[in-house]
Amino acid sequence: MLPELLPRPPAIGNEEYRARRDALIAQLPANAAVVLPGASLVTRSHDSEYTFRQNSDFYYLTGITEPDALLVLLPGHDAGQSIVFCQDRDPTMEAWTGRRLGARGVEAEHGIDQAFENADREAQLPALLKGRELLYVPLDNPDALGIAEEAFSFAQVGLRRGRAPLKGWLDVSALIHAMRLIKSEAEIALLRHAAAISAKAHVRAMQASRPGLYEYQLQAELEHEFVWQGGSGPAYSTIVGGGANACVLHYIENRAALTNDSLVLIDAGAEFGLYAGDITRTFPVNGRFTEAQRALYQVVLSAQERAVAAIKPGATLVDVHQNVVKDLTAGLIALGLLEGDVQARIDDESYRRFYLHSTSHWLGLDVHDVGSYRLDEKTPRPLVAGMVLTIEPGLYIPDAEDVPPAYRGIGIRIEDNVVVTNEGYENLTAGVPKGMADIEALMVK
């Protein structure tokens, strides 16, 4: 029997993309312009490219998934404020790599005011930017900086003719990233679907697990489900760490055998419509926790559940993380992995030997999504409805002589995807069991 197919949410409509562009333009001075390149193909080997993935900021403002495109926003422009340069229509190339939208297709299918093919860019772009006094570009993008420098040179030549000078350029990324921090209902629907696909994949991997398999075989189970459900594949490199490999935070080799009486940590999520799922679960390879595994797992689970329950408008991720640190540190002391007073071990940061990372990150078009975590250097950003984030405490016990033998080489992380709502939160990834009894019941062979 074929696996169940989840019903897909609707795609984001052109009206929302236009509203985003209008909202960005509304933040700009009247005589400014935005220049935002999309992504290009990247060579993998000789004449083979990596699977194309659009630049997230460009996609957020356009919904266009073709490579080598450029967005220009011109406040007050008579012919329309949104202009896109795109790949040329080319019957020969389209026979090899598929249909290209062309300028008319970009206008018709994406609601762009005006579009040109890249063959016209050299002639059209300087004219579009003529007289604009300030450019907003992503300062970490060499292509955008090159365009800004060319525009500056062009403006300097025109100074003697009375043309308005280009005063310089600023970073557009912070403006876009502040917008991306709050998700729309349509975005949350896509994130909910990416989470649902990811959850089904984790359940599938749990049910497939048994001693003697290799980590990559569980990876195959996960990624099969991602694509079967219509996702583009993994949202990031899949982590399947058995035994002590779980103590390596970004372990992606996934080549080791899974052994009896060990745990396996899976950190994996599907990408759907360019939005990311991001789930971590840790479970026994053979379906049964040992006593030591159970004791350590409960420390992480209790901290994770309390952190999820704390998500609501007005809370801060700084407070959530600090409470997780207290819970984990108290658990480490209770198990004999640390000694003394909880606050003393927090103050001297000895807990960091076992808990190396933060508890949360934003989630969206990027798995570690954009947006500041603070209002300023001293003020954590309060959560508001529409933010989407992860909650992912963990403990990673080194195989060291000063560690009680029963705990050596155990790594545990539990991660859920959470939307902040007006009432509190919605856990998008509750479909994957994390209670020990529920995990064991699911894995019964």
Side-chain angles (χ1 to χ4, degrees), residues 6 8 22 43 91 103 116 125 149 152 170 196 226 238 243 249 251 265 292 318 327 362 377 403 410 444:
L6 298 170
R8 297 188 182 192
D22 289 346
T43 299
F116 301 94
L125 185 57
E149 289 167 357
F152 182 76
L170 297 172
F226 295 166
T238 297
L249 297 184
Y251 173 82
L265 182 155
V318 170
D327 290 345
W362 306 129
E377 290 185 4
V403 170
I410 295 178
V444 169

Side-chain angles (χ1 to χ4, degrees), residues 390-410:
T390 66
I391 298 291
E392 50 179 306
L395 289 175
Y396 313 92
I397 313 304
D399 186 1
E401 290 186 2
D402 62 337
V403 170
Y407 300 121
R408 292 176 187 172
I410 295 178

Side-chain angles (χ1 to χ4, degrees), residues 140-320:
D140 60 352
N141 187 302
D143 292 337
L145 291 176
I147 292 170
E149 289 167 357
E150 288 179 10
F152 182 76
S153 297
F154 182 78
Q156 291 296 105
V157 170
L159 283 178
R160 294 179 182 177
R161 302 170 190 167
R163 191 179 300 155
L166 175 62
K167 297 176 179 177
W169 44 89
L170 297 172
D171 192 11
V172 73
S173 300
L175 298 177
I176 300 172
H177 295 174
M179 294 169 60
R180 284 175 55 188
L181 185 56
I182 310 298
K183 274 60 177 181
S184 68
E185 288 300 322
E187 289 183 286
I188 291 171
L190 291 171
L191 284 161
R192 189 179 289 116
H193 191 64
I197 293 173
S198 305
K200 286 184 70 68
H202 276 259
V203 167
R204 176 175 174 154
M206 285 182 181
Q207 292 176 317
S209 177
R210 63 180 184 272
L213 291 183
Y214 283 79
E215 293 163 341
Y216 59 78
Q217 291 174 302
L218 294 190
Q219 178 182 358
E221 294 287 336
L222 292 153
E223 295 180 6
H224 179 283
E225 190 71 28
F226 295 166
V227 177
W228 177 262
Q229 295 290 350
S232 58
Y236 53 97
S237 297
T238 297
I239 296 170
V240 182
N245 291 336
C247 295
V248 181
L249 297 184
H250 289 167
Y251 173 82
I252 58 172
E253 285 81 0
N254 301 346
R255 306 308 297 173
L258 300 171
T259 59
N260 196 36
D261 292 329
S262 66
L263 297 177
V264 57
L265 182 155
I266 293 179
D267 187 339
E271 183 178 83
F272 183 85
L274 274 71
Y275 286 82
D278 184 9
I279 301 174
T280 307
R281 291 293 187 267
T282 310
F283 55 91
V285 170
N286 64 10
R288 290 289 180 268
F289 288 90
T290 68
E291 183 178 349
Q293 291 165 358
R294 190 176 298 275
L296 199 62
Y297 188 94
Q298 187 59 55
V299 172
V300 178
L301 178 62
S302 295
Q304 201 265 354
E305 290 180 328
R306 195 158 87 94
V308 170
I311 299 301
K312 61 182 179 181
T316 72
L317 294 184
V318 170
D319 287 340
V320 170

Side-chain angles (χ1 to χ4, degrees), residues 386-444:
M387 292 178 171
V388 183
L389 52 102
T390 66
I391 298 291
E392 50 179 306
L395 289 175
Y396 313 92
I397 313 304
D399 186 1
E401 290 186 2
D402 62 337
V403 170
Y407 300 121
R408 292 176 187 172
I410 295 178
I412 297 169
R413 183 164 66 252
I414 305 170
E415 178 182 23
D416 282 311
N417 305 164
V418 178
V419 180
V420 184
T421 67
N422 289 324
E423 296 74 29
Y425 71 92
E426 175 190 354
N427 186 348
L428 301 181
T429 48
V432 194
K434 58 186 177 184
M436 285 177 280
D438 293 331
I439 290 173
E440 290 178 340
L442 177 70
M443 296 181 67
V444 169

